[in-house]
Amino acid sequence: MGGPRALRLPRKWRDALAKRRARARAAREPEPRARRLLLHVGGPKCGSSAIQAALAANSAALAARGVLLASDRMDAEGGFIHGQVGYFDELKGRQDSAAELAGRFRRLAVAMDERAADTLVISAENLLLRTGAAEMLIPPARAAGFTPEVVAYVRRWDDFLIAAWQQWGIKSHDSPEAYWKDHGFPSWLTGLRAWEEQVGLPGLKVYPFRRDIFPEGDVAAHFFEVSGLSFPGMVRPTPVNPSTSEHLSDLMNRARDLFADENDNDVLGILAPLIGPAAYKSGSASFLMTLDQRRALLEHAQADDEALKARYLPQFGAGPLFPPLRPEQVVECSDIDKLRAENALLLRAVHTLGQRFSALETRATKAAQRRRWRIRL
């Protein structure tokens, strides 16, 4: 027989206890000591989901090593699952954001005192390109006694635009170009300068999103390594948030009325399990932008990339910040070929639905037979 099982309080009691602890922390002041704030700010479509999955999978081991992961709600009581993207989205436009963050950081500092933690980790990929994010976050963190270190990843702009359109733009725009035109994304350089103004050049670590320089091509392993969080036996979770098939993206783009907003992933969540592995992209080649379109975009970004490299990544020297665009990264796909591929995806979904319906019919028939046998008996 095993040892005695730990008692688990009912949910409402646990919630009440968490609120009581939060109120107690709010009434206390943090101890005057050094605390490290490790702030992962993205950028978007630069492997943030993989980094957050690795943090979540290793949260207990990190806690034993003095690392506290702020919960998704920016407190010490909840769990860390997706990082604080949602929290910072909700904070946008609030008049009391400075006071709200000051209170959060103070309570997190008190929680670190209780747990003998020396490092607090926050991860939100919507911070790097967000105007005013650095000015909003860093002063209240410093006021609570934190020394901030910012980690940022940047991506080649044509790859970023294609990935961003597949993630968000398909729900609102006809093409990556239309999405780009409406959103007018600021450059990586502009975002990084805002963070540098707050934390200084030594407090800002910038890395190109390049799998050829990551350990075994894993951005999460790279993040843990450069942040000093690595340890023997670190859990390496399976890949998360894989790229959607471009044919499926095109198909969903034809029915934009199904989406509530750019962050609505319910349609993909329904279709992907029905379609199976074909719902996801294999390889890096794309038909969503032509070779000329991608070259024009990279030419437009060249000056910023060179300035970014000179300021934040001088170790690259005369070499390129990103691998150059190769013709084989662009594939030709006619409208007929696109429709054929989309029809194949739909057929897979219908076939899976048919199998599930047939299985339900079989179960219903067997259940009816069992009822008739019971009646006869």
Side-chain angles (χ1 to χ4, degrees), residues 230-292:
S230 292
F231 58 89
M234 187 182 87
V235 176
R236 303 279 288 273
T238 55
V240 294
N241 198 21
S243 298
T244 308
S245 156
E246 293 188 347
H247 292 296
L248 180 54
S249 294
D250 257 3
L251 182 62
M252 292 189 293
N253 183 241
R254 299 177 195 275
R256 296 196 294 274
D257 59 299
L258 295 177
F259 299 95
D261 54 44
E262 288 189 352
N263 295 309
D264 183 355
N265 292 314
D266 289 349
V267 177
L268 179 61
I270 293 169
L271 289 176
L274 295 175
I275 294 170
Y280 299 104
K281 189 173 181 178
S282 60
S284 59
S286 172
F287 64 76
L288 294 174
M289 295 178 70
T290 67
L291 187 60
D292 287 342

Side-chain angles (χ1 to χ4, degrees), residues 47-64:
S48 298
S49 295
I51 290 171
Q52 289 152 1
L55 287 169
N58 291 279
S59 59
L62 289 170

Side-chain angles (χ1 to χ4, degrees), residues 291-302:
L291 187 60
D292 287 342
Q293 288 171 330
R294 294 179 71 165
R295 281 173 172 166
L297 181 59
L298 293 177
E299 185 177 339
H300 177 75
Q302 184 175 1

